[in-house]
Amino acid sequence: MINFYKALLLATIFIIVNGCSSSRSASYFSSNKKIEHGILDFHNSLKIDEYINAFKQENIIVPKSEDVVFSSDFFQKSISSIHNKSLLQIAIKTRKENDKEKEELLGISLVLDISGSMFTDNKNEDSIESIKNAILEFREGTEFSLVLFNSSSELYIPPIVISNKNRKDIIEKVKNIEFGGGTNIEDGLVLGYKAMSEFKNENSRLILITDGISNVGITNPEEIAKKAKVEFIKGGRISTIGLGYDVDENLLRKIAKKGNGFYYFSDNAKTLTKYLREDLTSFIKPCLYDVVLNIEENKGYKVLDVYGYTEYKNKDNQYNIDIGELNVDDWRIFIVEIEKIKKITTEKEIPVVAKLTYKLKPKDKLNELVVKSSVNWNSKSKNNINNINEKVARNAVIFSNAIALQEISKLYNEGKYSEAKGISETQRKNIEIYTSISNDNELIPEITKFNSIENILNKDTKNPEKPNSERPVEKKNLNKFIKDAMVSYSLIQPGPWSIILILFAENIM
């Protein structure tokens, strides 16, 4: 047996709560599930960065010779002098895994919650099905163990090397798992670590499958999170994944944060199996370390907000965003709201400078990339739909969707249904405008989502209205559609939904 702490040095721990979403996108899937159930109480759990990560950034290409691409682009190709605000997208994307990384064997210590709460919504059956499918997918040579926990924990399958000879026997044993009892997450974590300490593969991780509702042993989220931090210091890494719209997201996020990992979400066995098959290896292979993004405004301009990252603003109005590690085929998108506060006479202006620092290895020296996007802010051109950068507009709309959902949920819980509905209607119209000008069908489900929200709000206000269209507005009707939207937008609470509608109007009408 190798030394416990040495074995954990490169370990990554995942807490998978019954199924899963794709990379770091828990808020998107969790809020969707709640809306499906007529629940709008998610303003405290919905995270902006998780929401946008549900939408892949295929248009950002990383050359094979590069480790990372770092870019910035404005919402408009040239900005009219009529309006003094605009949006800037800053994008970071890492390379795909290389051939050597693809061949690495894994060590997987699976920790399964078998408490009685797992019976809800068939989470127990989903978990068993997912584990069976995962075992079928594991390559020969993968090291595997399975810990079961409810009120206490048990090493159900001791560390074993997967082969075609024993795969069937392992699956048969998984089929015989029985559920019931309380939930002692801490006990499961500890035994999972001990099992993983016996792995010989350096690329090992622990996967904890739970619904995140701890009611035995240490049940306080802060205390469990502290325990996770202690284990991380010893060499492990903890990420959490929740299944089901009623999952204890705050607990799982706190554990993941203390363990320097991620929180994920899923709602069924199919998505968990897909995650294990397609995404798991990418998520746990860091290729950039100590990643920090600095955003600094230039003279004559003011950075009003970096959506979802307001807390990183310092007294000098700079943003220093500590990203930490980035894995292979990973990305981060930032939408910056900028205001022009002083007349600048130069034809091409650079409102902000973005700097990215990172290491290729933990002990390497820092690398630095800088982007300075210039733009003509005094353009006289208007009514030009081709002036809109569709790639930036797409992500700006997605960011605004997430922020709108946060605010709608908050207003709903305060009983301010009319205010919530106003934001929902405005943001839905933004999505419809984008899908109309881009012919991009990816965001059509978002139109449906906001329609569902408005139906919930109508029901609670006892003021039923005719359902809105599920399709984007036709181009021939776009000008009238925007004009009608502009009539009411000034009456609602300001936010990114307002500035996006203005930018669309300025370039289309």
Side-chain angles (χ1 to χ4, degrees):
M1 179 186 296
I2 60 176
N3 180 272
F4 177 45
Y5 302 134
K6 182 178 179 181
L8 293 181
L9 187 58
L10 298 175
T12 300
I13 301 173
F14 282 81
I15 300 178
I16 303 180
V17 181
N18 303 324
C20 57
S21 64
S22 57
S23 171
R24 306 161 310 280
S25 52
S27 285
Y28 174 79
F29 294 93
S30 177
S31 58
N32 284 357
K33 184 58 62 175
K34 289 184 177 181
I35 292 169
E36 286 177 18
H37 285 78
I39 298 170
L40 297 183
D41 184 16
F42 43 69
H43 55 286
N44 289 323
S45 59
L46 192 154
K47 305 300 179 185
I48 307 301
D49 57 338
E50 290 180 1
Y51 194 94
I52 194 169
N53 277 327
F55 298 85
K56 292 188 176 182
Q57 303 296 323
E58 301 291 0
N59 56 74
I60 304 174
I61 308 299
V62 183
K64 290 184 177 181
S65 59
E66 302 293 332
D67 292 295
V68 61
V69 162
F70 182 44
S71 63
S72 63
D73 299 278
F74 278 93
F75 188 99
Q76 310 110 293
K77 297 169 186 175
S78 60
I79 302 174
S80 171
S81 56
I82 298 173
H83 194 245
N84 65 343
K85 293 181 182 178
S86 188
L87 298 175
L88 175 73
Q89 171 182 289
I90 297 174
I92 306 167
K93 189 174 183 181
T94 60
R95 62 172 176 80
K96 294 186 180 297
E97 61 183 350
N98 56 41
D99 292 339
K100 181 180 178 181
E101 289 166 336
K102 289 178 182 178
E103 294 301 317
E104 291 178 1
L105 289 171
L106 307 176
I108 299 175
S109 176
L110 210 57
V111 179
L112 175 63
D113 182 348
I114 58 169
S115 64
S117 61
M118 294 284 282
F119 284 111
T120 309
D121 296 328
N122 295 319
K123 290 183 285 190
N124 57 328
E125 295 179 8
D126 283 350
S127 298
I128 296 299
E129 191 64 27
S130 301
I131 293 171
K132 285 160 47 183
N133 290 333
I135 292 169
L136 286 172
E137 296 285 343
F138 291 153
R139 293 166 51 198
E140 282 199 278
T142 298
E143 291 179 288
F144 176 77
S145 67
L146 176 59
V147 168
L148 306 181
F149 75 95
N150 44 29
S151 301
S152 58
S153 59
E154 171 196 359
L155 183 57
Y156 189 65
I157 299 178
I160 187 173
V161 177
I162 297 286
S163 70
N164 290 333
K165 291 181 179 180
N166 62 21
R167 201 184 301 264
K168 184 178 178 181
D169 292 336
I170 295 171
I171 291 174
E172 285 300 317
K173 191 161 186 179
V174 169
K175 288 180 181 179
N176 294 325
I177 295 173
E178 296 182 355
F179 289 73
T183 306
N184 190 334
I185 289 179
E186 182 214 7
D187 213 44
L189 279 174
V190 171
L191 190 54
Y193 267 109
K194 289 180 179 177
M196 190 167 59
S197 71
E198 298 186 27
F199 291 163
K200 294 180 174 59
N201 291 335
E202 287 188 337
N203 192 4
S204 301
R205 76 294 315 261
L206 183 152
I207 302 176
L208 173 61
I209 304 179
T210 178
D211 61 5
I213 304 173
S214 190
N215 54 28
V216 176
I218 296 178
T219 59
N220 183 287
E222 294 294 340
E223 291 301 315
I224 295 176
K226 286 179 182 177
K227 180 70 176 180
K229 180 64 175 177
V230 169
E231 298 295 353
F232 172 68
I233 292 172
K234 290 179 180 178
R237 188 182 313 280
I238 300 176
S239 291
T240 64
I241 304 177
L243 176 65
Y245 71 93
D246 59 346
V247 69
D248 189 344
E249 294 186 278
N250 289 329
L251 168 61
L252 298 179
R253 276 201 179 87
K254 286 177 181 177
I255 294 174
K257 185 176 181 180
K258 290 289 185 180
N260 202 34
F262 298 115
Y263 164 61
Y264 303 89
F265 172 85
S266 178
D267 60 353
N268 56 55
K270 184 177 180 181
T271 52
L272 174 54
T273 300
K274 177 180 181 295
Y275 168 77
L276 291 172
R277 180 189 302 122
E278 298 179 3
D279 301 327
L280 182 59
T281 54
S282 293
F283 292 170
I284 51 80
K285 291 179 181 174
C287 63
L288 300 184
Y289 300 83
D290 298 335
V291 183
V292 176
L293 172 65
N294 173 269
I295 302 171
E296 184 176 355
E297 61 195 26
N298 273 336
K299 184 178 179 180
Y301 296 91
K302 187 176 183 63
V303 173
L304 299 178
D305 199 3
V306 179
Y307 295 153
Y309 295 89
T310 305
E311 69 272 20
Y312 288 93
K313 184 177 180 179
N314 64 24
K315 62 181 181 180
D316 298 320
N317 213 40
Q318 291 185 16
Y319 284 78
N320 288 293
I321 302 173
D322 185 358
I323 299 172
E325 292 179 357
L326 286 176
N327 299 303
V328 294
D329 199 21
D330 204 351
W331 61 84
R332 295 291 186 277
I333 302 295
F334 304 86
I335 298 295
V336 185
E337 184 177 337
I338 302 170
E339 181 181 24
K340 185 174 182 179
I341 57 177
K342 186 178 179 181
K343 186 175 181 180
I344 307 293
T345 57
T346 55
E347 183 176 344
K348 289 288 186 180
E349 304 167 27
I350 302 174
V352 299
V353 175
K355 180 173 70 174
L356 185 72
T357 56
Y358 62 93
K359 297 177 181 177
L360 294 177
K361 297 290 182 183
K363 294 183 179 180
D364 282 0
K365 65 178 183 179
L366 280 174
N367 295 280
E368 181 177 297
L369 296 173
V370 177
V371 289
K372 303 177 181 181
S373 285
S374 60
V375 66
N376 181 359
W377 201 300
N378 297 307
S379 171
K380 303 298 182 182
S381 62
K382 55 184 298 188
N383 304 327
N384 182 5
I385 197 170
N386 294 322
N387 190 47
I388 296 174
N389 186 327
E390 290 183 7
K391 296 175 183 178
V392 177
R394 167 189 181 264
N395 286 333
V397 167
I398 295 170
F399 261 97
S400 188
N401 287 354
I403 298 170
L405 288 173
Q406 279 185 333
E407 195 58 36
I408 289 167
S409 175
K410 182 179 177 181
L411 291 169
Y412 177 83
N413 278 269
E414 295 172 353
K416 299 177 180 178
Y417 303 139
S418 296
E419 292 91 333
K421 186 179 176 184
I423 293 175
S424 181
E425 289 177 341
T426 301
Q427 186 54 28
R428 173 176 49 79
K429 290 171 183 176
N430 282 330
I431 308 169
E432 292 186 63
I433 294 168
Y434 167 74
T435 52
S436 176
I437 66 174
S438 66
N439 295 317
D440 180 358
N441 294 328
E442 182 188 21
L443 297 192
I444 288 179
E446 296 287 276
I447 300 174
T448 304
K449 180 191 301 182
F450 280 89
N451 271 329
S452 297
I453 290 171
E454 289 159 41
N455 290 336
I456 295 170
L457 293 169
N458 286 337
K459 188 182 299 182
D460 285 340
T461 56
K462 298 180 180 179
N463 182 29
E465 295 182 10
K466 183 180 178 181
N468 299 301
S469 169
E470 300 288 324
R471 305 292 299 179
V473 61
E474 294 183 13
K475 275 190 177 180
K476 63 181 181 181
N477 301 322
L478 197 53
N479 277 15
K480 183 180 184 304
F481 183 84
I482 296 176
K483 185 177 180 181
D484 291 343
M486 292 291 291
V487 170
S488 59
Y489 98 93
S490 60
L491 303 176
I492 67 170
Q493 183 172 311
W497 43 86
S498 305
I499 186 172
I500 290 173
L501 182 57
I502 291 172
L503 294 177
F504 277 141
E506 188 176 287
N507 290 278
I508 297 173
M509 290 179 63

